[in-house]
Amino acid sequence: MLDLSNFSINALQNKTIAVFGLGGQGLAQSLNLKDSKLNIIIGLPEASANVTKAKELGFEVYEFKEAATRADVIILLIPDEAHGKVFETSIKPYFKEGGTLIVAHGFSLHFGLIKDYEKWNIGMVAPKAVGTAVRQNFLEGKGIFSLYSEFHKINEDLEKILLEVAKGIGSIKVLKTSFKTECE
């Protein structure tokens, strides 16, 4: 287990992080990353009821394709069953080669919903708390426990980015695992 309490967030300082989705985890993680002084944008479908809410919270909001074009890191926090379609239509054609895609649950990659990902770093940061607890513990300075894993690595930045995202969302301690172990 790795203690992140004194871990710095340097590799992400000049990167744009697009959080796709504004449900329980999306809202909590976006706010925590923003409060961690990172550059966060929100990716949502144009017709999403959460567009207004995200703008009211001070986020720049873009449709998935535009958010993917602007991002260095994408945190995919939409329902797992939608990952494959959104990756195929809105990420793969627009996301820069060498970018990092992060999920909070290994399901879509472990079970093959996302395919043809060879041009990107793929990893997981899985907080072991519901979104409201992720946010509340962050605000109280208590932190949370998270799992992290590398799925597909194309450069040496992946683990550092995963650990910095974990720290940014409020993780105090993390444990490295595999997508298989996290899913099964």
Side-chain angles (χ1 to χ4, degrees):
M1 185 152 341
L2 184 59
D3 185 342
L4 297 180
S5 54
N6 294 317
F7 196 78
S8 65
I9 301 176
N10 296 322
L12 293 176
Q13 289 301 314
N14 297 316
K15 295 193 182 300
T16 297
I17 301 169
V19 176
F20 280 31
L22 205 65
Q25 284 294 333
L27 178 60
Q29 290 190 36
S30 296
L31 289 169
N32 291 0
L33 291 164
K34 182 180 175 190
D35 288 350
S36 294
K37 309 291 186 234
L38 296 172
N39 181 29
I40 306 303
I41 62 174
I42 305 296
L44 291 170
E46 286 182 61
S48 173
N50 285 325
V51 169
T52 301
K53 180 179 187 177
K55 288 179 179 179
E56 287 172 354
L57 291 168
F59 291 106
E60 292 179 31
V61 182
Y62 301 96
E63 193 276 326
F64 288 146
K65 294 172 186 176
E66 180 66 21
T69 300
R70 294 172 177 267
D72 300 295
V73 176
I74 295 174
I75 303 175
L76 194 56
L77 297 176
I78 60 175
D80 291 331
E81 62 273 9
H83 284 193
K85 181 179 180 187
V86 170
F87 181 78
E88 271 308 306
T89 61
S90 300
I91 296 174
K92 194 162 99 173
Y94 304 98
F95 193 32
K96 65 183 79 172
E97 262 186 59
T100 299
L101 177 69
I102 300 173
V103 295
H105 180 37
F107 181 89
S108 59
L109 286 138
H110 181 65
F111 291 106
L113 299 179
I114 293 177
K115 300 174 182 153
D116 302 322
Y117 47 76
E118 291 77 18
K119 297 177 183 178
W120 302 278
N121 281 316
I122 309 285
M124 173 179 56
V125 175
K128 298 289 99 190
V130 296
T132 53
V134 169
R135 181 65 176 155
Q136 192 61 40
N137 283 329
F138 180 91
L139 291 172
E140 294 173 3
K142 294 179 182 176
I144 54 167
F145 168 75
S146 294
L147 299 173
Y148 80 100
S149 181
E150 298 171 272
F151 186 80
H152 180 71
K153 184 176 180 175
I154 63 165
N155 60 47
E156 295 305 312
D157 294 341
L158 180 57
E159 186 169 34
K160 182 151 183 66
I161 289 170
L162 294 173
L163 292 173
E164 289 190 16
V165 165
K167 172 74 175 188
I169 66 168
S171 303
I172 298 294
K173 296 193 184 279
V174 294
L175 179 65
K176 191 168 189 176
T177 188
S178 70
F179 274 59
K180 178 179 172 50
T181 299
E182 193 269 341
C183 285
E184 296 179 8

